[in-house]
Amino acid sequence: MTDPMVTVVDHPLVEHKLSLMRSIETPTGDFRRLAREISLLMGYEVLRDLKVQPVDIQTPMEPMTARQVSGKKLCFISILRAGDGILGGMIDLVPSARIGHIGLYRDPVSHTPIEYYFKVPEDMAERLTVVVDPMLATGHSAEAAITRLKRAGASAIKFVCLIAAPEGVAVLRRGHPDVAIFAAAIDRELDEHAYIRPGLGDAGDRLFGTK
Ligand code: URA
């Protein structure tokens, strides 16, 4: 059964660019550029329901009533560090959006996500919040990040990733059924090291050339 809260952004350009990102042959610079390009294309879909309002303007030819985005203000939240790789495309689309960052690491004993950084705008309750992280693997970081954002006042939240594992989608849907998930692809499975298969490897390392 299809879940209306889970959208796989189905577009030939997204699929093509994601295939290039998956390839082990793709160097860091291209990988980074492709991540930004896919996030631009996905942002178009993620922000499809932004409200517009009429505004009176003057074209060089005549006055007209045009329509511009109104309503809720936007906030993009990057889950560090790989989230920064798909943040740029979103900011290109909405340059006035506020930006927040959340840093989490996995406790080596309990395997639970521990927060080491949290900086978001004060008025989260008034904003549409779009959380970005390229890989939705176990789903535990995304779940913890969104729990923390709700504690900070956020209520209208969307989650955007490039590749999701079915396991991560299930965890996030269970933990936050109100949060819509957008992915460029949902892959086969997680492996025993919590990497997505076939996936694209470690998104952070490939974005920042740290391996
Ligand atoms: N994080 C990654 O960067 N890659 C995976 O496959 C899973 C988590």
Side-chain angles (χ1 to χ4, degrees):
M1 200 180 73
T2 58
D3 181 341
M5 294 295 276
V6 180
T7 303
V8 175
V9 178
D10 175 22
H11 190 288
L13 284 174
V14 171
E15 208 175 354
H16 174 79
K17 289 173 191 294
L18 186 61
S19 298
L20 293 174
M21 288 185 78
R22 288 180 186 278
S23 169
I24 196 170
E25 310 283 339
T26 300
T28 301
D30 291 351
F31 189 91
R32 201 179 291 147
R33 175 182 49 78
L34 289 160
R36 191 185 188 100
E37 289 172 0
I38 295 183
S39 75
L40 252 177
L41 294 166
M42 291 185 72
Y44 177 81
E45 191 59 38
V46 173
L47 303 174
R48 176 177 286 286
D49 56 0
L50 285 183
K51 299 280 177 291
V52 289
Q53 68 181 12
V55 283
D56 293 327
I57 60 166
Q58 174 82 39
T59 80
M61 311 306 289
E62 61 178 54
M64 75 169 283
T65 302
R67 302 203 313 154
Q68 289 183 350
V69 169
S70 67
K72 268 200 184 333
K73 295 178 281 184
L74 264 169
C75 179
F76 297 124
I77 302 288
S78 164
I79 301 183
L80 294 171
R81 70 183 159 148
D84 279 6
I86 53 172
L87 183 62
M90 298 282 168
I91 299 173
D92 285 350
L93 281 179
V94 189
S96 62
R98 299 301 156 93
I99 314 296
H101 287 89
I102 302 181
L104 300 161
Y105 71 90
R106 197 160 74 133
D107 183 272
V109 179
S110 68
H111 298 295
T112 53
I114 311 286
E115 179 184 308
Y116 66 87
Y117 189 78
F118 186 81
K119 190 80 182 174
V120 303
E122 282 178 1
D123 55 351
M124 291 300 289
E126 295 159 36
R127 295 182 180 276
L128 167 63
T129 300
V130 178
V131 181
V132 299
D133 191 357
M135 308 300 273
L136 179 60
T138 63
H140 296 310
S141 297
E143 186 189 25
I146 291 170
T147 299
R148 183 68 178 84
L149 287 166
K150 287 182 174 175
R151 219 182 325 138
S155 59
I157 304 174
K158 300 185 183 199
F159 180 85
V160 182
C161 60
L162 298 182
I163 302 181
E167 295 89 334
V169 172
V171 164
L172 194 50
R173 291 292 296 123
R174 219 174 14 253
H176 297 289
D178 56 311
V179 173
I181 301 172
F182 293 80
I186 298 180
D187 273 8
R188 190 180 65 245
E189 61 186 357
L190 280 186
D191 69 13
E192 64 278 22
H193 304 293
Y195 275 84
I196 298 175
R197 299 293 182 120
L200 50 68
D202 187 302
D205 280 340
R206 295 200 63 192
L207 279 163
F208 299 111
T210 42
K211 205 167 181 194

